[in-house]
Amino acid sequence: MLRGQTVVVTGASRGIGKAIALKLADNGANIVINYRSREEEALGLVEEIKNKGVKALAIKADVSIFAEAENIIRMAKEEFGTVDILVNNAGITKDSLIMRMNEEDFDRVIEVNLKGVFNCTKHTVPIMVKQKYGRIINITSVVGIIGNAGQSNYAAAKAGIIGLTKSLAKEVGSRGITVNAVAPGFIETEMTEVLSEKTKEKAKENIALKKLGKPENVADAVFFLASSMSEYITGQVISVDGGMAF
């Protein structure tokens, strides 16, 4: 259980981030929801979490902006006294073959997906070092491990998260802080809903379990890494992909 602990989940108004927030709330944590544009969904999620008997707060911020990321962590600390668990989930896609990809789309994906992780982590680590405890869980992707045509910007950012995770784990392990990553595969979210059935069926052919994952599957892995069950695990990447890449 995570009773009394404070969790910050970035990009949490929908999809995988929402599932993570709900899972950790179910296990007693107070939740700080970060969102960038979906205010109605974020506020609705706050009420849903509060109905579980824990506290919740929504903070609008763009994690790619250093000062705004700092504000998320500052407000979380002011509201709840500390930050025990940070889940870096915020991310975007701007897919295109590299011959057609413009500089702006490459930069934007790196800024949100990779620099956003740095920004939020940078402001959280001092709190965790001081209290000699913390869990940092970064949401990467199976694409960051195996690559994917048309997603060179996304794959580069997600691969960068893996490198950051492993490096930071070595820096802060002696302070009681674990740093791990979860790499989702083909998960049923709003992004995959727009795909044709033919595309989904083709994807299943490359998955050992022959089915797409659900956001809750990712949330379960995050809960494991956030809990005391994983106290001797750090610097690792757990793929939640149904056997898509191994």
Side-chain angles (χ1 to χ4, degrees):
M1 295 291 286
L2 305 173
R3 189 153 306 281
Q5 294 192 46
T6 300
V7 181
V8 173
V9 185
T10 66
S13 63
R14 59 176 176 150
I16 290 173
K18 178 179 180 178
I20 291 169
L22 290 171
K23 179 70 177 183
L24 301 188
D26 282 336
N27 284 276
N30 299 317
I31 310 293
V32 176
I33 300 298
N34 158 250
Y35 69 99
R36 186 174 62 87
S37 59
R38 294 176 173 249
E39 183 172 31
E40 185 175 345
E41 288 93 331
L43 295 179
L45 179 57
V46 164
E47 291 307 309
E48 188 175 352
I49 290 171
K50 286 181 177 179
N51 288 336
K52 296 177 181 292
V54 297
K55 298 175 183 177
L57 173 69
I59 302 174
K60 182 177 182 179
D62 183 340
V63 297
S64 72
I65 300 173
F66 193 75
E68 292 194 21
E70 181 179 23
N71 191 52
I72 298 169
I73 306 306
R74 179 185 59 78
M75 289 181 68
K77 189 173 185 298
E78 287 179 356
E79 182 73 17
F80 299 117
T82 190
V83 175
D84 299 293
I85 300 161
L86 170 65
V87 183
N88 285 306
N89 170 74
I92 61 170
T93 57
K94 289 185 177 292
D95 299 346
S96 181
L97 295 173
I98 202 160
M99 290 186 294
R100 299 172 184 167
M101 185 179 294
N102 60 47
E103 183 181 12
E104 181 182 331
D105 286 351
F106 184 89
D107 288 349
R108 185 58 183 157
V109 169
I110 296 295
E111 287 167 1
V112 175
N113 296 14
L114 181 55
K115 189 167 186 285
V117 173
F118 165 79
N119 288 344
C120 293
T121 302
K122 169 75 173 177
H123 298 302
T124 304
V125 165
I127 298 170
M128 293 181 171
V129 166
K130 187 174 182 180
Q131 67 193 16
K132 295 182 179 179
Y133 176 84
R135 299 280 188 265
I136 297 173
I137 303 158
N138 299 321
I139 306 302
T140 178
S141 170
V142 69
V143 171
I145 300 171
I146 64 173
N148 192 35
Q151 288 193 305
S152 58
N153 50 0
Y154 186 77
K158 293 301 188 178
I161 289 172
I162 293 173
L164 188 156
T165 297
K166 291 179 177 292
S167 297
L168 183 60
K170 293 182 176 182
E171 290 182 20
V172 300
S174 64
R175 305 302 180 94
I177 304 167
T178 65
V179 190
N180 292 288
V182 174
F186 216 119
I187 308 297
E188 292 180 342
T189 63
E190 285 185 22
M191 285 195 293
T192 58
E193 281 179 6
V194 299
L195 300 176
S196 67
E197 285 304 314
K198 184 178 179 180
T199 299
K200 291 179 183 179
E201 288 303 315
K202 187 174 181 180
K204 291 177 187 177
E205 292 175 9
N206 297 318
I207 300 172
L209 296 181
K210 303 303 179 187
K211 63 181 181 180
L212 305 186
K214 299 183 181 300
E216 291 76 16
N217 298 139
V218 181
D220 287 342
V222 171
F223 169 60
F224 168 70
L225 292 173
S227 74
S228 60
M229 293 183 290
S230 66
E231 66 177 10
Y232 200 58
I233 298 174
T234 196
Q236 303 304 305
V237 181
I238 298 179
S239 292
V240 182
D241 63 358
M244 184 177 175
F246 59 85

